[in-house]
Amino acid sequence: MTDVVTSPAVDLQQLSGGELLPSRVPGETRVVVPLVTLPRACQVIVDGVGARLATMVAQDERAETGSFTLAYTFAIPDRRWMTIECQVPADSPAFPSVTPLVPAAHWYEREARDMFGLEPEGHPDLRRLVMHDDWPAGVFPLRKDFDPSIPVPRVEADPYRFHTLHGDGIVEIPVGPFHAGVIEPGHFRFAAVGEVVLALEPRLFYTHRGIEKLIEGKSLDHGLQIAERICGVCSLSHAVTYCQAAEQILGIEAPPRAAVIRSIGLELERLYNHVGDAGNMCAGVGFMVGVAHGARLKDELQRLNEQFTGNRFLRGLSAIGGVRRDLDVEFAAQMSLELARIAREFGELTAMILGSETTMERMRRTGILPGDLARALGVVGVGARASGIDLDTRRDHPYAAYRDGETARRRDGKTARRPDGQNLPPSPAVGRGAGGEGYSAVGRGAGGEGHSAGGGEGFPVPTREEGDVAARLLVRIDEVAVSFALIQALIAEMPAGPLIAGWTPPTTDAAAFSATESPRGENLHWLRVNAQGTIERYRVRSASFPNWPAVAAAAPGNMVPDFPLINKSFELCYACLDR
Amino acid sequence: MSTLHPLIPMLQSRQDEDASTLGQKFSDQVQRVLQRSMQIRHLDAGSCNGCDWEIQSLLCPAYDMQRLGLDIVASPRHADCLLVTGSVTRHLEIAAIRTWEAMPAPGIVIAVGACACGGGVLQGSYCTAGGVKNVLPVDISIPGCPPRPQALLHGLMLALDRIEQKLHHSNHEFRIGRSEA
């Protein structure tokens, strides 16, 4: 919305050699480049300033400009975004692939090929990704001339060609799409020699529901109902991301009290996920006591969610312009006490897990994701932080109450005050609970006194260097401590004021994007509305999208029976990915 | 919270007297109808995973459905009923039908959640069937977005009644099963 042409922005423009366009969100530099220079421009941004490919948005603008557009958006350290755009002519829908130079573009370009029929020339892998093989050739669901009301027949097609390894003793193990437990569907094809995995190829997108197309033509409010249901366990993160993108378009901002309530909700979402995940990781090694306690505490957190919002998955809390529910003083105090108890019990659980040598031995050096590989794939969230990448959207692109300024809540680190003025006991989550016998679970930045509840430099982002299953567990445990402390701090300093800002449907064509840190990592929603006030294009890049290739990359060299453990340690959603 | 939400009813803990009475009645009924435990197969036919996590939470100590004689099994061949979540996506439709065909009779189908019951927010999508009933014969529908664990247990109680009805109103051939017929 605001045009921020600062000097670093100009530098970025010079780096990519493009022509400057008005930016869509604060901190964005947006340039358009000729088609032939697209891959080089992307590479220069990635290599030159250490940018991470955050999303790629294809659009069918044939009716307006006679061409398709592609926009590669990069996250740049220091709270900036860089978008490189180009136009793809309608009569020859092909573009030079960025993937050979920027591997993170791999799936984005395959998806654009499936959904828009845009051919990435020079892409190393041109198999179907989102649409499976019985979807007819030449039918592209996200093109504007595709009518979703006409049923699309299944066609006979060659079966999907998995990469196969040949050699003595190599066995292929197909698994899925349905699995033995209560798990989402996806197919995994292992190539193994004896117990050892040589290669793993996932075949996903089974739960593809066509959400990006479905939402087109809907009002902003209707769109929220769908966006909130992209994923169950990331419901609030998706809802808030969508609302923030819409608010950006509308030129409004959630009031301070709403921002704090959103952040409390987002941290509750992180808590019930991380606590449950820490327990579920124990299932990967058969440490069932850990599983049971994790599931019990997760359920208690979900009951708290229900008391707070009326829904165990925090659905219905966020609205465009703010929140629908208040957090009154009495319930906030009750929540604070309940969270303190759960934090204490989670501390007992982590001490139990970290003190179980057989459990930790299975987790250490298992499923290693090297940092350079994680960087090349554009991995986000716990998976990235456990491989030494210091990234967290809450700090890097602050939103809600993580921002500095008037909504930031800073905490003195010692005494949180209850809304009625009485002192609360210091949060047991802080500095305690995480460390088990002989292990320091607390990585860089986390734990200890002096948590800053506001965003900015002081925001604690725990990282580990090992990149193994144990590192992902420890990062989660540290993040749980941060979240408990953050909620206590936010409750202690709730600003007064309205819960929601008013708005009227937009009357001009406008686009914006927004990102939040879900329990799985950065969710990024790109939203465009038209002059009729309905949604023209919606692009969801969930945390699971860049992270799934990392799961496949972390498996080789491990035992086949360790794959469930490795998979659980990343804990990605299929629904978030498939949409 | 020591004081629970008034909507969290019985069945939530072993200690609760009413819960144990109701639970005892339920597990007695399981025993009477099936002469063994009730075997459930979960099938995610394209949900958002909310319903699936609620099914998973039935196994946690707070609900502990195994104490009632209910269990999740790894194969449809072992299952008395199928808990189907999601509106059935195009990419899962064939696999969902095959899963159901692999079940022994009477093969009860339970649609779990708003999407499974009637397509939910996904109506009009090019890639979903708009609800389980358009693909499989649904016996029980459990609404909710997602349904709470208590609603799932209630649905499973209804499913048990349904199994009893079907067994009662059928002759021996029904017990042999579809796939062998």
Side-chain angles (χ1 to χ4, degrees), chain A residues 46 51-56 72-74 98-110 123 373-379 539 541 545-547 549:
Chain A
V46 169
R52 167 179 59 83
L53 180 58
T55 191
M56 187 264 247
Y72 292 73
T73 296
F74 296 87
V98 174
T99 305
L101 298 178
V102 181
H106 184 157
W107 276 17
Y108 295 101
E109 294 184 340
R110 278 174 77 183
H123 193 290
L373 184 59
R375 232 175 273 276
L377 294 172
V379 171
R539 169 84 173 106
R541 204 300 327 273
F545 190 92
N547 285 13

Side-chain angles (χ1 to χ4, degrees), chain A residues 130 132 134 152-154 178-179 184 205-206 208-209 229 232-233 298-299 306-307 312-313 315 334 338, chain B residues 1 41 44 48-50 52-54 56 60 63 74 89-91 93 95 123 125-126 145-146 148:
Chain A
V130 180
H132 284 189
D134 65 4
V152 180
R154 291 183 195 274
F178 295 132
H179 302 282
E184 293 180 78
F205 294 92
Y206 282 91
H208 176 63
R209 289 159 284 162
R229 285 160 180 81
V233 282
K298 178 187 177 182
D299 194 68
E306 189 177 34
Q307 285 185 300
R312 284 163 53 89
F313 294 80
R315 282 183 174 159
Q334 204 185 349
E338 177 71 354
Chain B
M1 229 99 324
R41 171 71 184 154
D44 177 344
C48 72
N49 76 33
D52 311 85
W53 280 108
E54 290 299 51
Q56 178 75 39
C60 90
Y63 311 99
T89 59
R90 179 187 173 97
H91 298 337
E93 191 175 339
Q123 275 166 19
S125 165
Y126 60 86
C145 189
R148 302 163 73 252

Side-chain angles (χ1 to χ4, degrees), chain B:
Chain B
M1 229 99 324
S2 52
T3 50
L4 286 161
H5 191 281
L7 283 177
I8 294 176
M10 300 156 290
L11 277 177
Q12 55 82 25
S13 87
R14 283 176 190 278
Q15 286 77 42
D16 191 310
E17 198 183 333
D18 291 339
S20 60
T21 314
L22 191 57
Q24 191 59 51
K25 273 164 90 175
F26 190 16
S27 57
D28 287 350
Q29 199 189 348
V30 170
Q31 195 58 42
R32 183 173 56 76
V33 174
L34 295 166
Q35 293 94 52
R36 54 170 170 77
S37 58
M38 182 157 111
Q39 313 285 306
I40 301 155
R41 171 71 184 154
H42 161 250
L43 191 149
D44 177 344
S47 74
C48 72
N49 76 33
C51 296
D52 311 85
W53 280 108
E54 290 299 51
I55 294 170
Q56 178 75 39
S57 55
L58 289 178
L59 292 164
C60 90
Y63 311 99
D64 189 14
M65 69 178 195
Q66 285 159 323
R67 83 199 141 100
L68 303 172
L70 311 174
D71 204 6
I72 304 275
V73 289
S75 166
R77 296 193 187 282
H78 305 158
D80 300 304
C81 57
L82 198 60
L83 279 177
V84 190
T85 64
S87 55
V88 189
T89 59
R90 179 187 173 97
H91 298 337
L92 286 168
E93 191 175 339
I94 294 168
I97 292 169
R98 284 187 191 157
T99 301
W100 180 71
E101 284 173 348
M103 287 175 76
I108 299 289
V109 175
I110 308 174
V112 177
C115 297
C117 290
V121 294
L122 299 170
Q123 275 166 19
S125 165
Y126 60 86
C127 227
T128 68
V132 179
K133 65 175 187 296
N134 297 332
V135 179
L136 300 176
V138 173
D139 292 283
I140 308 286
S141 295
I142 309 177
C145 189
R148 302 163 73 252
Q150 291 80 6
L152 293 173
L153 284 175
H154 183 234
L156 288 168
M157 288 181 181
L158 296 178
L160 188 62
D161 290 344
R162 190 85 169 136
I163 291 172
E164 187 175 19
Q165 281 171 16
K166 287 202 169 182
L167 291 177
H168 186 70
H169 292 298
S170 70
N171 50 26
H172 183 65
E173 110 194 72
F174 208 17
R175 281 168 178 268
I176 291 171
R178 242 184 346 268
S179 45
E180 291 171 39

Side-chain angles (χ1 to χ4, degrees), chain A residues 41-100:
Chain A
C42 291
Q43 187 195 20
V44 164
I45 294 300
V46 169
D47 293 349
V49 289
R52 167 179 59 83
L53 180 58
T55 191
M56 187 264 247
V57 185
Q59 280 196 84
D60 178 359
E61 296 187 352
R62 286 175 298 167
E64 303 126 67
T65 65
S67 59
F68 296 93
T69 58
L70 289 177
Y72 292 73
T73 296
F74 296 87
I76 293 178
D78 196 21
R79 302 186 177 189
R80 285 177 297 154
W81 303 98
M82 170 86 197
T83 302
I84 297 179
E85 298 192 17
C86 61
Q87 298 206 319
V88 183
D91 50 356
S92 65
F95 63 100
S97 171
V98 174
T99 305

